[in-house]
Amino acid sequence: MTDDCGSAADPAVYLAGELDPATHAWFEAHLVGCEACWSQVRDARRGRALAESLRESAPQSLRETVRALAASGDLAIADEGTAASRGPGRRRARRPALFAAAVAAGVVTVALAMTGPLLPGGGTEPDPHEQILRAAVAVYANAVEVESGARAPVAGIGALALRSSGTATLEGTAVTVFRYGEPGAGQVVLIRSPHPFPRAHASRDIAGAPGWLGTVEGSAVYCRDTAALSWLVIAATTEQALAAGHAAGLMSAPAGRPPIRAS
Amino acid sequence: MARDGDEFEFAVIPALDGLYSLARRLTRSGDVAEELAQETLTRAWAAWIDGRRPDRVGPWLATICLNIVRDRSRRPDRETSWPEGLDVRSPVDVEAEVVGKGQLDLIDRALRHLPEEQRLAITLMDVCGLTAAETAVITGAPRGTVLSRVHRGRRSLARLLDEGAPGSTGGDDVDRTDRAREGRTTDDR
């Protein structure tokens, strides 16, 4: 393995972006003429790209596991009736074995019973009628950059600032996309369309508010149709989607009322 | 309360790809990787409702996952230990219908050929997407050592995979000044 030429700069430090500006500039010029350092840098970049190509997307079952675990919290409260009756001040006793057993026994089924039709049933085929909704969720999930320009309904949603806005085409329909927050760090996407969106199969009405709330491809979707426009709010959880819909002024709650909760 | 569950979902779902990628590198088949990831999530949930709130969810899940693997490797369970050297994958791993899978197989084998510290550093940083600082915490090594291991490991990977094709280095005819300037943005953190 060729080593570096003994130059003043370490190629590893250069690649980490941690050389001071003067040394960094010097090293880049040095690379032009030094075979040893150049091949190091080239190989390291290639190796990184090779390793990154091993990244995989988590299968859908893992998302379902997370949702099932999260839902099983409520279930455990219902189950541990005797524990709850010992008084409100008592800290909820948790047995990790309960959850391991619950997952092993297929707690996804139980979670479905708890929350009704909102969770997707096992084995359903994709509904072609919902293709545009899936395309919308793909925009949310893939952080596809869109050209900028549109005026957003709000500058921020809670702690999430508007990051980008622009247009995209979903199944032939030109829509406007507003992205708040960062993918991977909690983001919300608003999509505005001149045409109504289809209603998701896994969806339900919301008490006291217009629109519907549903799940598409594992993401939470709130949809509001007005006379002129149709809006989608896409987030990781239903609470987030509802809160974002409210913050964006889509739910017409009078000022001072708390955010509307799903029934 | 429902809030615990929603917070957990909100925090963990963005980190699932990184967790699964890590589990995949630690096991020999997709099924076992999935089961390892589910065990990791179950333990993470138990800690969460116990009040545990990590600063960064990615490294937290990676730590839980690695701990499970280390626990298991002390028992005679060969499904989830670090394979020694070049292991031949079982036929169930070979998803021949997926385009490019053969190439991923080669890369994976080359990765398993590296010394353990380099392999782990590359797995956490390049495959799982953790930072050098996060990897340093998980492995207990100084950050500079992590950077050095990743650097050596990446170079070895490139050599292992390119040395079979003479003249395939591909970069020498291109103007090096331009190539050097490609690196103007930070490669690592």
Side-chain angles (χ1 to χ4, degrees):
Chain A
M1 181 182 291
T2 55
D3 275 340
D4 57 75
C5 63
S7 72
D10 180 351
V13 181
Y14 162 73
L15 285 165
E18 293 177 3
L19 292 175
D20 63 270
T23 313
H24 184 100
W26 174 85
F27 189 74
E28 283 194 344
H30 171 76
L31 283 177
V32 178
C34 178
E35 175 66 37
C37 289
W38 168 244
S39 68
Q40 261 209 41
V41 166
R42 184 197 60 219
D43 286 349
R45 287 207 180 116
R46 170 112 175 96
R48 180 186 188 185
L50 290 167
E52 285 177 348
S53 73
L54 295 176
R55 289 184 183 180
E56 300 196 41
S57 297
Q60 185 63 14
S61 61
L62 286 187
R63 276 183 181 251
E64 286 163 11
T65 297
V66 174
R67 291 181 193 277
L69 287 167
S72 73
D74 298 339
L75 175 66
I77 291 174
D79 256 356
E80 293 179 29
T82 33
S85 69
R86 281 176 208 158
R90 184 182 187 280
R91 200 177 194 295
R92 292 172 299 166
R94 291 295 177 186
R95 303 185 301 267
L98 168 72
F99 299 104
V103 172
V107 74
V108 175
T109 312
V110 180
L112 279 172
M114 277 286 292
T115 60
L118 193 59
L119 289 177
T124 49
E125 299 95 34
D127 182 353
H129 168 69
E130 292 189 15
Q131 190 57 29
I132 192 171
L133 295 178
R134 284 194 288 277
V137 170
V139 170
Y140 161 77
N142 294 336
V144 172
E145 277 313 308
V146 297
E147 316 101 52
S148 61
R151 192 177 142 78
V154 283
I157 291 183
L160 306 177
L162 179 69
R163 288 289 178 226
S164 67
S165 65
T167 56
T169 303
L170 304 180
E171 301 294 301
T173 301
V175 300
T176 311
V177 179
F178 305 99
R179 193 180 302 278
Y180 296 85
E182 305 293 347
Q187 66 154 344
V188 173
V189 166
L190 265 59
I191 297 184
R192 185 182 71 202
S193 170
H195 300 299
F197 289 103
R199 176 149 176 164
H201 176 70
S203 64
R204 62 177 181 225
D205 293 322
I206 306 162
W212 52 264
L213 182 65
T215 302
V216 176
E217 302 277 283
S219 294
V221 176
Y222 165 63
C223 181
R224 167 77 200 276
D225 287 334
T226 66
L229 297 166
S230 198
W231 291 86
L232 288 184
V233 179
I234 307 175
T237 70
T238 56
E239 290 271 354
Q240 252 200 312
L242 282 176
H246 175 72
L250 296 176
M251 304 184 84
S252 304
R257 291 257 297 271
I260 294 165
R261 320 288 270 195
S263 53
Chain B
M1 295 301 161
R3 287 199 64 88
D4 267 354
D6 283 340
E7 284 174 11
F8 182 72
E9 268 190 66
F10 177 50
V12 164
I13 282 183
L16 283 183
D17 287 349
L19 170 62
Y20 182 71
S21 295
L22 173 62
R24 197 72 181 82
R25 302 277 72 75
L26 295 171
T27 60
R28 293 191 189 174
S29 76
D31 288 344
V32 182
E34 199 173 313
E35 181 268 323
L36 173 60
Q38 284 177 337
E39 167 90 21
T40 302
L41 292 168
T42 303
R43 292 196 189 190
W45 171 237
W48 190 271
I49 51 166
D50 217 35
R52 180 78 206 278
R53 294 291 186 273
D55 291 332
R56 304 276 308 178
V57 173
W60 178 59
L61 292 177
T63 304
I64 295 173
C65 186
L66 287 166
N67 285 339
I68 294 172
V69 172
R70 281 179 194 133
D71 290 346
R72 289 183 186 180
S73 69
R74 292 192 198 112
R75 296 187 243 125
D77 168 11
R78 300 310 294 167
E79 284 298 310
T80 52
S81 52
W82 283 111
E84 308 299 324
L86 286 171
D87 282 314
V88 177
R89 286 196 182 206
S90 65
V92 71
D93 291 332
V94 181
E95 296 159 12
E97 64 271 21
V98 178
V99 175
K101 185 65 175 171
Q103 172 67 0
L104 290 183
D105 226 26
L106 283 174
I107 300 174
D108 187 73
R109 288 191 192 198
L111 183 61
R112 292 175 195 258
H113 199 51
L114 298 181
E116 177 161 352
E117 321 82 62
Q118 293 179 16
R119 184 174 55 214
L120 183 56
I122 288 185
T123 299
L124 291 173
M125 278 190 67
D126 292 341
V127 181
C128 300
L130 302 184
T131 65
E134 291 167 345
T135 303
V137 170
I138 293 174
T139 58
R143 188 173 167 277
T145 306
V146 167
L147 286 175
S148 169
R149 287 173 180 169
V150 160
H151 184 67
R152 290 200 304 274
R154 287 168 176 173
R155 292 168 62 196
S156 297
L157 263 191
R159 281 170 216 285
L160 284 171
L161 290 163
D162 289 345
E163 68 188 359
S168 69
T169 46
D172 295 333
D173 297 333
V174 176
D175 177 31
R176 285 186 191 180
T177 323
D178 288 345
R179 298 279 286 208
R181 290 211 195 94
E182 268 180 52
R184 194 166 290 274
T185 56
T186 302
D187 287 60
D188 302 310
R189 289 153 295 160

PDB file of all heavy atoms in Angstrom, chain A residues 2 15 19 23 58 71 78 83 85 103 122 144 167 184 213 233-234 263:
ATOM      1  N   THR A   2       0.658   2.114  -0.950  1.00  0.00           N
ATOM      2  CA  THR A   2       1.491   3.331  -1.012  1.00  0.00           C
ATOM      3  C   THR A   2       1.149   4.230   0.156  1.00  0.00           C
ATOM      4  O   THR A   2      -0.006   4.423   0.502  1.00  0.00           O
ATOM      5  CB  THR A   2       1.234   4.101  -2.310  1.00  0.00           C
ATOM      6  OG1 THR A   2      -0.171   4.361  -2.412  1.00  0.00           O
ATOM      7  CG2 THR A   2       1.660   3.290  -3.516  1.00  0.00           C
ATOM      8  N   LEU A  15      -9.503  15.033   3.997  1.00  0.00           N
ATOM      9  CA  LEU A  15     -10.805  14.515   3.596  1.00  0.00           C
ATOM     10  C   LEU A  15     -11.877  14.794   4.636  1.00  0.00           C
ATOM     11  O   LEU A  15     -13.055  14.861   4.319  1.00  0.00           O
ATOM     12  CB  LEU A  15     -10.715  13.008   3.327  1.00  0.00           C
ATOM     13  CG  LEU A  15     -10.038  12.650   2.003  1.00  0.00           C
ATOM     14  CD1 LEU A  15      -9.664  11.179   1.961  1.00  0.00           C
ATOM     15  CD2 LEU A  15     -10.949  12.993   0.848  1.00  0.00           C
ATOM     16  N   LEU A  19      -8.356  20.547   7.719  1.00  0.00           N
ATOM     17  CA  LEU A  19      -7.131  21.317   7.555  1.00  0.00           C
ATOM     18  C   LEU A  19      -7.493  22.792   7.607  1.00  0.00           C
ATOM     19  O   LEU A  19      -8.572  23.188   7.161  1.00  0.00           O
ATOM     20  CB  LEU A  19      -6.480  21.017   6.201  1.00  0.00           C
ATOM     21  CG  LEU A  19      -5.892  19.605   6.018  1.00  0.00           C
ATOM     22  CD1 LEU A  19      -5.397  19.428   4.582  1.00  0.00           C
ATOM     23  CD2 LEU A  19      -4.765  19.365   6.999  1.00  0.00           C
ATOM     24  N   THR A  23      -3.529  25.496   4.654  1.00  0.00           N
ATOM     25  CA  THR A  23      -2.988  24.165   4.400  1.00  0.00           C
ATOM     26  C   THR A  23      -3.878  23.401   3.422  1.00  0.00           C
ATOM     27  O   THR A  23      -3.383  22.656   2.573  1.00  0.00           O
ATOM     28  CB  THR A  23      -2.866  23.363   5.712  1.00  0.00           C
ATOM     29  OG1 THR A  23      -2.251  24.183   6.696  1.00  0.00           O
ATOM     30  CG2 THR A  23      -2.061  22.092   5.517  1.00  0.00           C
ATOM     31  N   ALA A  58     -35.030   0.333   5.291  1.00  0.00           N
ATOM     32  CA  ALA A  58     -35.642  -0.598   6.230  1.00  0.00           C
ATOM     33  C   ALA A  58     -36.929  -1.160   5.632  1.00  0.00           C
ATOM     34  O   ALA A  58     -37.688  -0.425   5.007  1.00  0.00           O
ATOM     35  CB  ALA A  58     -35.949   0.109   7.543  1.00  0.00           C
ATOM     36  N   ALA A  71     -48.104   1.802  20.053  1.00  0.00           N
ATOM     37  CA  ALA A  71     -49.511   1.605  20.407  1.00  0.00           C
ATOM     38  C   ALA A  71     -49.644   0.692  21.609  1.00  0.00           C
ATOM     39  O   ALA A  71     -50.570   0.831  22.404  1.00  0.00           O
ATOM     40  CB  ALA A  71     -50.269   1.023  19.214  1.00  0.00           C
ATOM     41  N   ALA A  78     -54.197  -0.520  29.677  1.00  0.00           N
ATOM     42  CA  ALA A  78     -55.512  -1.155  29.772  1.00  0.00           C
ATOM     43  C   ALA A  78     -55.400  -2.514  30.419  1.00  0.00           C
ATOM     44  O   ALA A  78     -56.230  -2.911  31.221  1.00  0.00           O
ATOM     45  CB  ALA A  78     -56.134  -1.265  28.387  1.00  0.00           C
ATOM     46  N   ALA A  83     -52.665  -2.575  38.402  1.00  0.00           N
ATOM     47  CA  ALA A  83     -51.578  -1.622  38.664  1.00  0.00           C
ATOM     48  C   ALA A  83     -52.126  -0.205  38.641  1.00  0.00           C
ATOM     49  O   ALA A  83     -51.842   0.603  39.512  1.00  0.00           O
ATOM     50  CB  ALA A  83     -50.476  -1.800  37.639  1.00  0.00           C
ATOM     51  N   SER A  85     -55.034   0.826  39.237  1.00  0.00           N
ATOM     52  CA  SER A  85     -55.979   1.148  40.302  1.00  0.00           C
ATOM     53  C   SER A  85     -55.271   1.446  41.612  1.00  0.00           C
ATOM     54  O   SER A  85     -55.898   1.835  42.584  1.00  0.00           O
ATOM     55  CB  SER A  85     -56.967  -0.001  40.490  1.00  0.00           C
ATOM     56  OG  SER A  85     -56.274  -1.112  41.031  1.00  0.00           O
ATOM     57  N   VAL A 103     -44.429  -8.462  20.804  1.00  0.00           N
ATOM     58  CA  VAL A 103     -43.970  -8.397  19.412  1.00  0.00           C
ATOM     59  C   VAL A 103     -43.911  -9.793  18.830  1.00  0.00           C
ATOM     60  O   VAL A 103     -44.351 -10.046  17.720  1.00  0.00           O
ATOM     61  CB  VAL A 103     -42.588  -7.715  19.330  1.00  0.00           C
ATOM     62  CG1 VAL A 103     -42.035  -7.838  17.930  1.00  0.00           C
ATOM     63  CG2 VAL A 103     -42.709  -6.254  19.724  1.00  0.00           C
ATOM     64  N   GLY A 122     -52.977  -6.248   6.831  1.00  0.00           N
ATOM     65  CA  GLY A 122     -51.921  -7.017   6.194  1.00  0.00           C
ATOM     66  C   GLY A 122     -52.334  -7.487   4.822  1.00  0.00           C
ATOM     67  O   GLY A 122     -53.488  -7.843   4.602  1.00  0.00           O
ATOM     68  N   VAL A 144     -36.900  15.188  -2.293  1.00  0.00           N
ATOM     69  CA  VAL A 144     -36.566  15.615  -3.646  1.00  0.00           C
ATOM     70  C   VAL A 144     -36.570  17.130  -3.684  1.00  0.00           C
ATOM     71  O   VAL A 144     -37.507  17.768  -3.247  1.00  0.00           O
ATOM     72  CB  VAL A 144     -37.627  15.073  -4.638  1.00  0.00           C
ATOM     73  CG1 VAL A 144     -37.408  15.667  -6.005  1.00  0.00           C
ATOM     74  CG2 VAL A 144     -37.551  13.568  -4.687  1.00  0.00           C
ATOM     75  N   THR A 167     -42.314  23.541  -7.185  1.00  0.00           N
ATOM     76  CA  THR A 167     -43.323  22.741  -7.862  1.00  0.00           C
ATOM     77  C   THR A 167     -42.826  21.327  -8.111  1.00  0.00           C
ATOM     78  O   THR A 167     -41.620  21.078  -8.176  1.00  0.00           O
ATOM     79  CB  THR A 167     -43.716  23.378  -9.206  1.00  0.00           C
ATOM     80  OG1 THR A 167     -42.523  23.543  -9.974  1.00  0.00           O
ATOM     81  CG2 THR A 167     -44.378  24.711  -9.002  1.00  0.00           C
ATOM     82  N   GLY A 184     -35.290  13.377   8.233  1.00  0.00           N
ATOM     83  CA  GLY A 184     -34.464  12.674   9.198  1.00  0.00           C
ATOM     84  C   GLY A 184     -34.408  13.390  10.533  1.00  0.00           C
ATOM     85  O   GLY A 184     -34.005  12.821  11.531  1.00  0.00           O
ATOM     86  N   LEU A 213     -58.018  12.246   7.758  1.00  0.00           N
ATOM     87  CA  LEU A 213     -56.713  11.915   8.296  1.00  0.00           C
ATOM     88  C   LEU A 213     -56.447  10.461   7.951  1.00  0.00           C
ATOM     89  O   LEU A 213     -57.307   9.616   8.166  1.00  0.00           O
ATOM     90  CB  LEU A 213     -56.733  12.105   9.805  1.00  0.00           C
ATOM     91  CG  LEU A 213     -55.441  11.870  10.589  1.00  0.00           C
ATOM     92  CD1 LEU A 213     -54.398  12.885  10.189  1.00  0.00           C
ATOM     93  CD2 LEU A 213     -55.740  11.990  12.069  1.00  0.00           C
ATOM     94  N   VAL A 233     -51.100  17.463   4.076  1.00  0.00           N
ATOM     95  CA  VAL A 233     -50.069  17.677   5.067  1.00  0.00           C
ATOM     96  C   VAL A 233     -49.487  16.298   5.367  1.00  0.00           C
ATOM     97  O   VAL A 233     -50.223  15.407   5.772  1.00  0.00           O
ATOM     98  CB  VAL A 233     -50.646  18.294   6.363  1.00  0.00           C
ATOM     99  CG1 VAL A 233     -49.540  18.483   7.397  1.00  0.00           C
ATOM    100  CG2 VAL A 233     -51.359  19.601   6.063  1.00  0.00           C
ATOM    101  N   ILE A 234     -48.192  16.119   5.147  1.00  0.00           N
ATOM    102  CA  ILE A 234     -47.577  14.801   5.312  1.00  0.00           C
ATOM    103  C   ILE A 234     -46.534  14.888   6.418  1.00  0.00           C
ATOM    104  O   ILE A 234     -45.673  15.777   6.404  1.00  0.00           O
ATOM    105  CB  ILE A 234     -46.915  14.318   4.008  1.00  0.00           C
ATOM    106  CG1 ILE A 234     -47.928  14.384   2.857  1.00  0.00           C
ATOM    107  CG2 ILE A 234     -46.389  12.895   4.174  1.00  0.00           C
ATOM    108  CD1 ILE A 234     -47.341  14.056   1.511  1.00  0.00           C
ATOM    109  N   SER A 263     -60.501  11.978  16.680  1.00  0.00           N
ATOM    110  CA  SER A 263     -61.373  11.273  17.655  1.00  0.00           C
ATOM    111  C   SER A 263     -60.860   9.858  17.880  1.00  0.00           C
ATOM    112  O   SER A 263     -60.298   9.260  17.003  1.00  0.00           O
ATOM    113  CB  SER A 263     -62.787  11.220  17.142  1.00  0.00           C
ATOM    114  OG  SER A 263     -62.782  10.685  15.843  1.00  0.00           O
TER     115      SER A 263
END
